[in-house]
Amino acid sequence: MIRRLAAVETELKKRKKDGEKLSSYNKRKRHKKQIAFHKCRKRNRWVFGGNRSGKTECGAVECLWMLRGIHPYRKNRRDVFGWAVSLSTQVQRDVAQAKILNYLPKSWIAEITMLTGRKDSPAGGVIDQIKIRNIFGGISTLGFKSCDQGREKFQGSSLDFVWFDEEPPRDIYEECLMRVMDKRGDIFGTMTPLKGKTFIYNEIYLNRKKNPEIWYESMTWEDNPFLSKKEIKLLEGVLDASALDARKFGKFGSGAGLVYPEFDESVHVIEPFDFPREWQDNISIDPGLNNPLSAHWYCVDWDGNIYVVAEHFESGKDIDYHASAIKRMSEKLGWKTDSKGRVSALIDSAAKQRTLASVKSVSELFYERGILADTNVKKDVFTGIARVKSFLKRGNGERDIYIFSNCTNMIDEFKNYCWADGDAPKKVDDHCMDELRYYVMTRPEPVEREESLSIIAQDKLRRIRRRNGRRGNGRA
């Protein structure tokens, strides 16, 4: 009995040591965005991360959890079949395959099939398949594929999951969607968007088809708890602005760089909530008739954080239509008005100009319809952009900005707002960005919190005010 117990203890120690890397994943230091990826139940999940942001780690771990049947956040099953897809066999060996082998305990391996190299030393060759012992008693299979094989090599199989390590060609992506259809399997990808605005940008990042199963997360260097600030600063110093968009922020570029790479949808976009009336601050409008008119409702909390709580965004409509829409939204929000029921708003200073087509300016037309349009806005582009950036940056001691998720047009513009070839942003799809800039340049201050006073304190305050009033009248 003693010999048996000693043998069991030795085996347990061996297994613990063998799987130590996987068991210590996100234990000592926690990568919050990796955890968010693993917890997500969507069937088409992506991580857009800069180099060394930790994106590939979570892809490899996700594969092994599924194959072994030990996923902490999903229903586990036996005999799982999945693919790890790389751009080439060389990239497979150096990245995806290396990550899998780093986390995969040898005791879990039932069999390895090699394309090149020796299976007793798989890290030096190219793996075709790994058979992994599943805790439910079955055998799971991880097949390695490379995009340079062509679409035909991706046909036929029925899969539980496909992991794309970096962005695949469109035809291979679509073929893999077919492979997981039978089993209602998962697609997940981890990539640095170095190719610019490809089909992944439209179908995943912007989700133009509004697929409810699509989810993504952007990872930056700052999200990786294993990268020091000194190392991040060193990396920043050797890259230009456009390269930083992709390699630091994991953002899709267009050749010239994003104006606001600091924008992080997982941080700055929040679900709507009932905000206190005291937070209501102002409406900001960028006018347009054929072009879209953009209007947003802004709140400021007691700490000075800005909340974009509603939007009106439409093109091809006249002033009557826009004024009515703004008033309807204001009524829905219970927005503050003056004694005559009018709402105030900031508007582009160009709105005060009169044209040959109209004897009245746009601001005057809004005024007549109950919108008190203030054209006294600061339009300096660079100062405004710098101020918006200060609200977007995290941990800089400044106030933050949050956008309600129903303000979809503003969110889309944040993702697309790019620099032109010169030193100015591209003048396309920037209506929300313009009126956001007008608003932040008003330097909104936090509202004063009203303290609730006791009945005795209220009576004391009334007596002080009455006494001060009598003294004032006597001095007069």
Side-chain angles (χ1 to χ4, degrees):
M1 180 63 72
I2 292 173
R3 284 196 298 269
R4 282 186 180 180
L5 290 172
V8 169
E9 187 176 345
T10 301
E11 180 63 22
L12 289 173
K13 286 181 179 179
K14 178 179 177 295
R15 291 186 182 185
K16 183 179 180 181
K17 184 177 180 181
D18 203 14
E20 190 172 354
K21 287 185 179 179
L22 188 60
S23 62
S24 62
Y25 173 76
N26 262 305
K27 290 294 192 297
R28 186 170 61 87
K29 291 184 179 181
R30 295 175 67 81
H31 193 311
K32 293 180 180 179
K33 291 190 175 180
Q34 285 180 342
I35 295 171
F37 167 79
H38 295 306
K39 285 184 174 181
C40 178
R41 297 296 185 91
K42 303 289 187 181
R43 292 179 53 215
N44 198 331
R45 295 169 290 154
W46 290 77
V47 173
F48 304 126
N51 300 113
R52 305 190 66 189
S53 62
K55 65 184 189 305
T56 310
E57 305 282 336
C58 60
V61 170
E62 185 76 3
C63 288
L64 291 176
W65 279 350
M66 288 183 167
L67 294 163
R68 179 66 171 169
I70 57 171
H71 201 297
Y73 307 112
R74 287 174 165 253
K75 183 178 180 180
N76 290 293
R77 55 191 184 276
R78 58 184 291 169
D79 301 323
V80 175
F81 186 14
W83 282 346
V85 180
S86 301
L87 299 181
S88 67
T89 53
Q90 181 178 345
V91 174
Q92 170 196 317
R93 183 195 63 201
D94 296 341
V95 184
Q97 177 180 303
K99 291 292 184 184
I100 291 290
L101 293 176
N102 179 58
Y103 282 105
L104 177 61
K106 291 180 180 178
S107 60
W108 294 5
I109 300 174
E111 182 62 50
I112 293 183
T113 304
M114 305 294 295
L115 288 176
T116 64
R118 296 167 44 182
K119 63 181 180 181
D120 60 345
S121 182
V126 177
I127 300 174
D128 181 29
Q129 284 188 346
I130 301 180
K131 300 286 186 178
I132 295 174
R133 295 184 178 91
N134 186 285
I135 65 168
F136 296 104
I139 297 292
S140 296
T141 303
L142 177 63
F144 288 90
K145 295 284 188 179
S146 62
C147 295
D148 56 7
Q149 294 174 311
R151 183 184 63 83
E152 290 76 14
K153 296 293 184 180
F154 289 79
Q155 294 176 338
S157 298
S158 181
L159 304 172
D160 293 290
F161 71 83
V162 175
W163 168 35
F164 291 109
D165 177 42
E166 298 303 340
E167 180 178 357
R170 183 172 197 140
D171 60 342
I172 290 176
Y173 169 76
E174 292 175 347
E175 189 65 42
C176 288
L177 288 177
M178 299 300 103
R179 299 306 107 225
V180 299
M181 183 179 293
D182 291 347
K183 294 185 176 182
R184 288 187 55 80
D186 290 88
I187 295 283
F188 50 95
T190 55
M191 57 173 281
T192 299
L194 297 175
K195 298 179 182 179
K197 295 181 178 180
T198 62
F199 78 98
I200 291 289
Y201 173 79
N202 289 308
E203 294 197 10
I204 307 298
Y205 185 66
L206 295 182
N207 193 10
R208 293 197 184 277
K209 296 179 181 178
K210 306 301 180 185
N211 184 342
E213 288 297 327
I214 285 176
W215 177 95
Y216 81 86
E217 182 71 90
S218 294
M219 288 185 183
T220 71
W221 291 339
E222 282 83 0
D223 294 319
N224 187 347
F226 296 96
L227 278 181
S228 67
K229 291 184 178 180
K230 183 179 180 181
E231 191 172 3
I232 291 173
K233 189 174 182 180
L234 182 66
L235 289 168
E236 288 176 337
V238 298
L239 296 173
D240 61 29
S242 59
L244 275 175
D245 286 350
R247 297 192 180 275
K248 176 185 177 180
F249 297 104
K251 300 289 187 180
F252 289 84
S254 59
L258 293 169
V259 175
Y260 298 122
E262 302 89 349
F263 176 74
D264 186 342
E265 194 168 356
S266 67
V267 172
H268 298 110
V269 177
I270 62 175
E271 291 305 311
F273 60 87
D274 293 329
F275 48 85
R277 183 178 176 82
E278 295 84 5
W279 290 13
Q280 296 179 11
D281 190 51
N282 215 338
I283 304 169
S284 188
I285 301 172
D286 184 60
L289 297 176
N290 289 326
N291 290 324
L293 179 141
S294 174
H296 287 82
W297 284 252
Y298 295 85
C299 290
V300 181
D301 69 12
W302 290 295
D303 297 317
N305 300 306
I306 294 176
Y307 296 82
V308 187
V309 300
E311 79 173 4
H312 166 63
F313 189 93
E314 205 159 350
S315 60
K317 303 295 183 180
D318 59 17
I319 297 294
D320 285 325
Y321 178 89
H322 291 304
S324 297
I326 291 171
K327 292 173 75 174
R328 282 196 305 272
M329 178 60 75
S330 297
E331 290 172 6
K332 180 180 178 181
L333 296 172
W335 203 256
K336 61 184 181 181
T337 62
D338 67 4
S339 59
K340 296 181 180 180
R342 299 174 297 186
V343 295
S344 62
L346 302 170
I347 197 168
D348 186 347
S349 57
K352 66 183 178 182
Q353 298 174 1
R354 297 175 182 175
T355 65
L356 296 175
S358 175
V359 296
K360 295 182 179 179
S361 67
V362 170
S363 60
E364 289 173 324
L365 293 171
F366 270 119
Y367 188 91
E368 291 177 352
R369 289 154 179 80
I371 313 293
L372 305 181
D374 181 5
T375 60
N376 186 26
V377 297
K378 297 177 181 178
K379 293 181 62 175
D380 182 76
V381 175
F382 297 104
T383 306
I385 287 175
R387 181 146 177 81
V388 173
K389 281 177 173 287
S390 72
F391 279 97
L392 292 171
K393 287 180 180 177
R394 310 293 293 177
N396 61 349
E398 298 292 327
R399 299 156 187 168
D400 299 317
I401 186 167
Y402 301 99
I403 301 106
F404 280 12
S405 59
N406 51 14
C407 300
T408 55
N409 292 285
M410 176 173 281
I411 295 167
D412 284 349
E413 285 195 15
F414 262 120
K415 294 178 179 180
N416 285 293
Y417 197 39
C418 295
W419 295 106
D421 293 334
D423 294 328
K426 290 182 179 179
K427 285 303 295 176
V428 59
D429 297 330
D430 61 352
H431 309 285
C432 302
M433 297 295 96
D434 282 350
E435 48 101 339
L436 169 67
R437 202 172 63 248
Y438 305 155
Y439 176 75
V440 298
M441 287 298 286
T442 63
R443 296 186 177 273
E445 294 299 323
V447 295
E448 293 184 5
R449 190 189 298 267
E450 292 185 1
E451 301 292 343
S452 57
L453 301 176
S454 65
I455 295 174
I456 296 174
Q458 291 177 21
D459 181 67
K460 183 178 179 180
L461 185 61
R462 280 196 298 270
R463 290 173 182 274
I464 292 172
R465 286 173 178 168
R466 257 198 314 269
R467 183 185 62 190
N468 291 340
R470 284 197 297 270
R471 286 180 179 175
N473 291 336
R475 285 195 299 269

